[in-house]
Amino acid sequence: KDWISFSHMSADRSIFPFESWLSCEHKALKLSRLELNDDSSRFPQGLYSVRQTIARFLSVARGVNCFPEQIVLGGSTQFLFYILRHLFGENTRYAMENPGYRRMYESLRMERVRLDTIPLDRKGISIDVLKRINPNVVYVTPSHQFPTGVVMPISRRIQLLNWAAETKDRYIIEDDYDSEFKYETDTIPSLQGLDSYGRVIYFGTFSKSLLPGLRLSYMILPQPLLKIYRKRCGFIMSTCNAMGQLTLQQFIDSGEYRKHIRHMKQVYINRQKKLIYALTRRFGSAMTMHGANAGLHFNAEFDTTRSVQEIAMRAKAARLELYNLQPYCLDGTDLFSRPAFILGFANLPIEKIEEGVERLYRSIF
Ligand SMILES: Cc1ncc(COP(=O)(O)O)c(/C=N/[C@@H](CCC(=O)O)COc2ccccc2)c1O
């Protein structure tokens, strides 16, 4: 029998519009010969026309307000973060959500900076603990907290911005990953769009909404940091290829991107509903779900006597790709009282949902 995947790290390539992507690539090749043979040293932040397109798109889609000059394109969120880190002083203190995005945690630890983790409550990062720890820079994922799925309400966003505005050396890194997929609440404006003090560094990526292999991510620097960036990092050449940038620009300007997002949302909402229905019917009150009103995954905790390790082993034997939440509990803290798993549906075709739930049930009970 073939594998069934609950992975949150892959997406369903079958719904990617390769044809229209290809025609955008042809157009880019024809129209943008000039930019293509421009050495990218002149555009360390990425091609200007591409940044204009992204700034326009974000102002409509996310209420982000920025000039193209503030955007820095890069080959990955992590790489852009390494650059950002060098804009802050040596003894800057960082904090991030726990459970949280382990790659960001490891990136910070590798930089040997002062790093604290901050627990979540049902509105996202805990403001009380944030005030107690009092870092300079805090990393949050407000759109669909990674990995718990909490959507940060507007009230908490305002509290966070007020905290950052209290003194001069405070910044918020808003990783707006997964922001394209909102189901119940309509899109809540980004922190960056609500920020009137220039304290939010906005991170975005096309890994989820397009292809992770495209390796096209971006950060938006508030003016004061942009000056420091130009002084300290202006020599670093662009790390994402012009072909990908220019094809993306065609794809967005032609309206294909908006069409694709709408199509993905319909497919994913439908899958998620069917998956939740099948899970509820099979597991009943033995399962508690969290974070299902946005994104391409949610979490579930199970009332079972089996350990996470035993469940993982049985899932593998049943050819079920399943990830648990332990790796995202940073600082070695164990934040889940019962076995908890990430249930991604980006790569779970409708016709495999029943069988997938059955294999999950047999792994857990
Ligand atoms: C919180 C968060 N922020 C940013 C990113 C994107 O990083 P970038 O690709 O470098 O721009 C990810 C990637 N998360 C990765 C999975 C989690 C992990 O990394 O283990 C990739 O996730 C997906 C990619 C495509 C389709 C579905 C999921 C992030 O989980």
Side-chain angles (χ1 to χ4, degrees):
K1 57 185 179 181
D2 51 2
W3 278 83
I4 294 182
S5 166
F6 278 130
S7 165
H8 63 299
M9 286 189 259
S10 55
D12 187 342
R13 296 294 152 255
S14 67
I15 54 177
F16 184 77
F18 286 99
E19 286 316 306
S20 55
W21 185 262
L22 194 61
S23 67
C24 289
E25 202 163 43
H26 287 316
K27 239 187 282 174
L29 263 175
K30 262 207 319 281
L31 302 178
S32 325
R33 295 254 162 105
L34 206 64
E35 284 94 340
L36 276 172
N37 66 19
D38 236 332
D39 62 346
S40 62
S41 64
R42 286 185 340 107
F43 302 100
Q45 296 181 224
L47 295 171
Y48 189 77
S49 63
V50 181
R51 286 184 275 138
Q52 280 177 305
T53 291
I54 293 175
R56 248 195 324 268
F57 172 76
L58 287 176
S59 74
V60 173
R62 299 295 297 121
V64 164
N65 48 36
C66 73
F67 295 104
E69 285 75 7
Q70 293 173 259
I71 297 179
V72 181
L73 295 176
S76 78
T77 292
Q78 285 163 294
F79 175 76
L80 288 167
F81 179 71
Y82 286 131
I83 293 195
L84 176 69
R85 232 271 301 140
H86 292 283
L87 307 186
F88 297 124
E90 277 314 297
N91 47 16
T92 299
R93 288 172 291 110
Y94 296 80
M96 67 177 285
E97 304 158 328
N98 186 21
Y101 184 38
R102 176 160 288 279
R103 285 182 214 277
M104 186 54 82
Y105 177 73
E106 297 302 344
S107 304
L108 276 159
R109 290 230 316 219
M110 208 161 109
E111 297 285 293
R112 301 196 192 302
V113 297
R114 167 76 193 280
L115 168 62
D116 289 286
T117 59
I118 298 183
L120 305 165
D121 58 31
R122 58 186 178 69
K123 291 184 174 177
I125 194 165
S126 160
I127 286 288
D128 301 342
V129 178
L130 175 67
K131 289 181 173 172
R132 182 156 49 78
I133 289 186
N134 195 23
N136 301 105
V137 179
V138 62
Y139 167 82
V140 291
T141 51
S143 271
H144 182 239
Q145 201 275 335
F146 190 88
T148 64
V150 173
V151 176
M152 188 185 284
I154 199 85
S155 55
R156 182 59 51 91
R157 292 176 194 226
I158 303 291
Q159 282 180 302
L160 205 47
L161 289 164
N162 291 339
W163 169 82
E166 274 164 14
T167 77
K168 63 179 177 26
D169 60 351
R170 278 184 187 163
Y171 286 96
I172 300 167
I173 298 175
E174 172 180 25
D175 183 351
D176 205 24
Y177 170 78
D178 234 358
S179 61
E180 297 82 3
F181 309 104
K182 279 270 178 320
Y183 306 128
E184 263 123 54
T185 54
D186 53 15
T187 47
I188 304 178
S190 60
L191 281 171
Q192 198 277 355
L194 295 167
D195 171 28
S196 43
Y197 298 95
R199 296 310 173 80
V200 175
I201 299 114
Y202 181 93
F203 272 76
T205 180
F206 291 98
S207 291
K208 288 289 280 267
S209 53
L210 288 177
L211 297 164
L214 182 65
R215 301 323 293 135
L216 198 50
S217 318
Y218 54 93
M219 67 177 169
I220 301 178
L221 299 174
Q223 301 289 1
L225 286 180
L226 179 60
K227 284 193 187 64
I228 300 172
Y229 165 78
R230 293 210 161 137
K231 222 175 26 245
R232 290 191 195 167
C233 303
F235 71 96
I236 299 174
M237 303 224 314
S238 172
T239 56
C240 42
N241 73 71
M243 198 58 237
Q245 292 181 52
L246 292 162
T247 305
L248 174 73
Q249 179 187 349
Q250 293 294 336
F251 197 70
I252 294 176
D253 288 345
S254 63
E256 283 298 319
Y257 184 65
R258 189 182 312 282
K259 226 165 78 184
H260 174 55
I261 297 275
R262 232 191 345 262
H263 176 220
M264 277 177 95
K265 263 178 84 167
Q266 270 137 22
V267 168
Y268 288 142
I269 288 180
N270 192 18
R271 271 192 205 165
Q272 193 204 50
K273 272 204 183 63
K274 290 206 168 33
L275 174 58
I276 290 177
Y277 176 73
L279 285 164
T280 314
R281 209 184 49 209
R282 196 73 182 83
F283 288 88
S285 59
M287 173 188 80
T288 318
M289 275 186 315
H290 301 283
N293 53 7
L296 305 185
H297 74 270
F298 53 86
N299 301 334
E301 292 185 46
F302 295 92
D303 260 338
T304 172
T305 52
R306 284 186 183 161
S307 70
V308 169
Q309 290 68 23
E310 191 182 346
I311 293 169
M313 195 185 60
R314 288 169 179 271
K316 196 163 177 232
R319 300 166 84 80
L320 179 70
E321 189 181 5
L322 179 69
Y323 295 97
N324 72 70
L325 278 161
Q326 286 312 316
Y328 300 103
C329 296
L330 314 172
D331 291 346
T333 47
D334 183 353
L335 300 166
F336 296 92
S337 52
R338 300 172 291 169
F341 297 89
I342 295 186
L343 298 179
F345 45 88
N347 208 2
L348 178 64
I350 292 259
E351 60 277 3
K352 292 196 173 173
I353 288 179
E354 281 301 325
E355 172 60 17
V357 168
E358 197 41 46
R359 292 188 197 177
L360 182 67
Y361 189 85
R362 284 205 300 275
S363 308
I364 293 184
F365 294 108

